Amino acid sequence: MPSNTTITPSTLSVKDHLWQIFWNKNRCTLCGRCTAVCPVQAIELGVFRKRVIESPMNLTETPSTSFKVYYGIRQRTDPAYACIGCAMCNLVCPNDCIAPMRTDEADKLKFHINRGGTPRRRGGRRNDPGGILDQIKFIRISMLTDPALDAGRHEFELRTLLGRVLPPEEEMNALKTGDWIPPVREIYPLIIGAMSFGALSPTMWEGLQLGVTYLNEELKMPVRICTGEGGCPPRLLRSRFLKYVILQVASGYFGWDEIIHAIPDMKVDPCAVEIKYGQGAKPGDGGLLMWYKVNKLIAAIRGVPEGVSLPSPPTHQTLYSIEESVAKMIQSMYMAWGFRVPVYPKISGTSTAMAVLNNLTRNPYAAGLAIDGEDGGTGAAYNVSMNHMGHPIASNIRDAYQVLVKVGKQNEIPLFAGGGVGKNGNLAANAAALIMLGASGIQIGKYIMQAAAGCLGSEGDRCNICNIGLCPKGITSQDPRLYRRLDVDKVAERVVDVFLSFDSELKKILAPLGRSTSLPIGMSDALGIADADAAARLTIKYVV
Amino acid sequence: MCRLFAITSETPLSPILAVEALDVMKEGHDGSGVGLFLRDLGGPFDEMKEAPILSGIFTEQGLRKLDQHMMDKGFMTKYKISIKVPKTPPPGVPKRDIYLIRAYELPEEWEQYTQDEIYEKLVEVRLELRKMGEAQEDMIVFSFWPDVIMIKEIGDPLTVARYLHLDRKELKARIIMAQGRQNTNYAINLYACHPFFLRGYSTMTNGENTAFIPIQEYLSSRNYPGYIGYQSDSEVFTHILHYAREKLKLGIDCYKHIVTPLQDDNLDLHPDADFLHHLKRTCRKLIIDGPNCVIGSLPDHSLFMVQDRKKLRPGVVGGKPGMYAVASEICGLDAIIPDRDKNKDFQPMHLDTVIIGPNRQEVQICRQTQPLHHLH
């Protein structure tokens, strides 16, 4: 920087940035791939002037100074072009000569990502890699009186129920009288949670659907996937594969015109309808699809103009009261499919979840409750919502289960837990812990993006630009130049890998606990933790 | 592993017989306790089938509390067996004041009640007595039911039986269930000792039910006063049986469909698939996770044995018309009914429920894949 340059408040050095590019001149071939691939143009061609002192090895010539020019990579320091740490430069570099490094102290960049008075918005998860789920251990190992089972060879029934399960007396009675019995789906306990067509690229969406279909049709694993708020491609709506899909309706009602019109043509019923009231990543805030991603296709499916941001309201529209609206919406959705499709709400983790749950216990149509904890991921949200709002899932799901135990409705209103499950890669252990705390099933979103498509995002604030359509892996982009990087079939293959390995790991957890005939929902006696306060809060054993 | 022996016979038998069977099967159990359930009684009790019999262990003080309480309620003692024991119990057996077996006349005001109401009130009285004894541990109540006696104690089964003189002539029954171990999965407590009893239903179990906690939570939340206790993971088997029969009005062949339902592939092929899918879903919280072998007695004097899906516990049934026994070991059966046709012995497998009806003429085998007998 020249000495006479004006320093603005937002003038930052490379050192002030969260991610700092290290570039090795000696190995650089100047091929330009890194600058071409960088999704945010954080690096550019640098022309460097370098002073060279030449000291001759004799006494006749005097040392001289010359100036040379060389070319290389320069990191831009304007906050608008800050490096996001995605390391695509490293991925494409033929000589491994470039890589982003994380700063060794709190960065100064975060004080400046609000130009124009707009706070930072991003995708990803809460930037906190820790969490209670990884600390929970499975301590009730079957020994002697009930032998541990063989995870590889024993038969296991790892299924869960989605739908309102009547109390046995009522169900027996309804069978006799022919009364309506709520629809219940028997599904795999790991569900691919709501990620909309729009938030995800077409290749990612298709890959997920393909993988789920393969799991169902070829491997007989009844895995289900939720559409998220953004509708569903018309062909899928009219296909026999719709039964593997949970349709989501949220406060923006995007895509529902298309869905409603397709009902008469549907060959099969969808698995269920999820009414989204909240989301763990941005509790109390509506969905958000930023204008970058609203191209012609997305606009058509959602029934909106192209190129405008689509912020959904924080709540569903209502004329009288929200409770009435919830009840009516659940009922209307049941009616749309002739009371054959389970309808359940999804809320963000909150200390008020118990009030919601108590309401649902009195609503005979509520088919379940999905709770999304503070670590849930998103395609776009305000940074402050992601980092500071929301309730951890573990205690929320435990409280909810215990409320149900109190009123005797455990497993009758199945609870589905989501939000940061497997965020450190321990998917099966986290899922099993939540199931034993009381969840009937687990929803994952970010995990499947990471595992099935190679999403780079992390809780160390890496990448996280899902919101602006520049996903360097093509997972959350609507730009064909980016999403063609993602091979649909390979994504499907990875989805299958993920579910198969999850299934094996879950068995490796359940078999030593002596469980095989049913999913161990609420088997809290199997859990322990080396934190007395957490143990007391979750009513599990304190073990050291 | 517990040793189990149950017998149903046309002629009343002494409980010592069942304890002797336990002793024969002793290898493999630690002889840490004994539980006995007697039904369809012979001897003096044969003449008073309607009179509820209180079985339990009392201290002197507990007995005074009992007498006062029962008097207040209007119960009159009709008959009792006094078990006088030597001053010093054998090693490993605790010193007790009174082993009580006492038949009562029902209070006069109960005449207005229906049979069902009387049964519920008997459950209430038993639970009251149990609660009264909890604080000072001066009253332990096993059962309060017509035509049923229960005896439980810590110690070697045969030693305990001799100490209590269970071979006395006034103590005879046509149905006897015996179990030779104090429950050792949880704390030593007589309430944790099999068989368990609730409102006419009794079961004893081999094995450990790892799904105990969620099932216990579910039963406890049914708002039925009898669903308490749970000092043992096996107590839920009795309560699920009661729930299936009394609350859901299902036949005994449905019991196995509740505790270890068929897997979906097999269920789809079942003639009652639709009903059983509903049953499996709605009773999913009652699915056990064994290994367990359950032996039980029903109010209609049937005896049954059911294996769970894993079939990791032994169990055999055999006998001759008029006398059949179910046991955890064949040697137990050999010791008590040596003259039976051993070719007809049957070891139930993972799909089987074995039922010996009240007439004791044959062994009925219900395979889980067969059509249900009584849907309602």
Side-chain angles (χ1 to χ4, degrees), chain B residues 193-320:
Chain B
C193 180
H194 321 209
F196 300 100
F197 180 81
L198 175 62
R199 203 192 176 281
Y201 297 90
S202 181
T203 67
M204 55 187 182
T205 314
N206 223 340
E208 185 165 1
N209 172 18
T210 54
F212 169 51
I213 294 293
I215 296 175
Q216 176 212 336
E217 285 174 346
Y218 188 72
L219 289 167
S220 302
S221 63
R222 294 306 85 202
N223 286 327
Y224 181 69
Y227 295 157
I228 60 155
Y230 306 115
Q231 279 78 10
S232 159
D233 55 287
S234 293
E235 190 159 13
V236 299
F237 290 97
T238 315
H239 296 184
I240 295 172
L241 178 64
H242 169 267
Y243 187 67
R245 302 273 295 166
E246 293 298 323
K247 303 285 178 187
L248 305 184
K249 308 291 179 201
L250 296 172
I252 185 66
D253 51 348
C254 284
Y255 183 57
K256 183 157 170 50
H257 283 288
I258 293 174
V259 291
T260 54
L262 288 173
Q263 296 214 323
D264 282 348
D265 298 351
N266 296 329
L267 205 52
D268 290 338
L269 303 172
H270 196 285
D272 300 304
D274 189 44
F275 171 79
L276 289 177
H277 271 298
H278 282 286
L279 186 67
K280 182 178 175 180
R281 276 178 198 165
T282 188
C283 291
R284 199 175 69 133
K285 39 263 169 180
L286 298 174
I287 296 176
I288 61 139
D289 226 328
N292 287 117
C293 168
V294 185
I295 295 171
S297 164
L298 303 178
D300 71 352
H301 296 182
S302 303
L303 202 61
F304 73 93
M305 174 191 243
V306 61
Q307 284 286 358
D308 76 346
R309 179 115 193 133
K310 294 183 188 131
K311 179 57 184 96
L312 285 168
R313 297 284 168 180
V316 62
V317 54
K320 55 192 180 184

Side-chain angles (χ1 to χ4, degrees), chain A residues 140 142-147 149 154-157 159-161 165-169 171-172 175-176 181 184-186 398 401 404-412 440 513-525, chain B residues 1 181 184-186 207-214 217-219 221-222 243 247-250 259-264 274-275 277-291 309-310 312-313 350 375-376:
Chain A
R140 193 211 166 284
S142 286
M143 288 283 127
L144 208 65
T145 54
D146 59 320
L149 305 169
H154 195 80
E155 58 178 21
F156 288 84
E157 185 134 310
R159 299 283 182 272
T160 196
L161 299 178
V165 180
L166 291 180
E169 290 97 326
E171 180 120 348
M172 292 297 112
L175 280 173
K176 269 185 224 163
I181 295 176
V184 175
R185 309 284 194 233
E186 195 161 334
R398 186 75 184 134
Y401 182 75
L404 291 179
V405 168
K406 210 169 184 179
V407 296
K409 290 201 177 294
Q410 62 270 45
N411 295 318
E412 288 172 9
S440 281
L513 307 180
R515 294 302 305 262
S516 65
T517 49
S518 66
L519 202 66
I521 301 165
M523 189 192 178
S524 53
D525 55 322
Chain B
M1 193 176 75
R181 190 193 196 190
T184 46
N185 297 336
Y186 296 86
E208 185 165 1
N209 172 18
T210 54
F212 169 51
I213 294 293
E217 285 174 346
Y218 188 72
L219 289 167
S221 63
R222 294 306 85 202
Y243 187 67
K247 303 285 178 187
L248 305 184
K249 308 291 179 201
L250 296 172
V259 291
T260 54
L262 288 173
Q263 296 214 323
D264 282 348
D274 189 44
F275 171 79
H277 271 298
H278 282 286
L279 186 67
K280 182 178 175 180
R281 276 178 198 165
T282 188
C283 291
R284 199 175 69 133
K285 39 263 169 180
L286 298 174
I287 296 176
I288 61 139
D289 226 328
R309 179 115 193 133
K310 294 183 188 131
L312 285 168
R313 297 284 168 180
H350 68 293
L375 267 183
H376 302 297

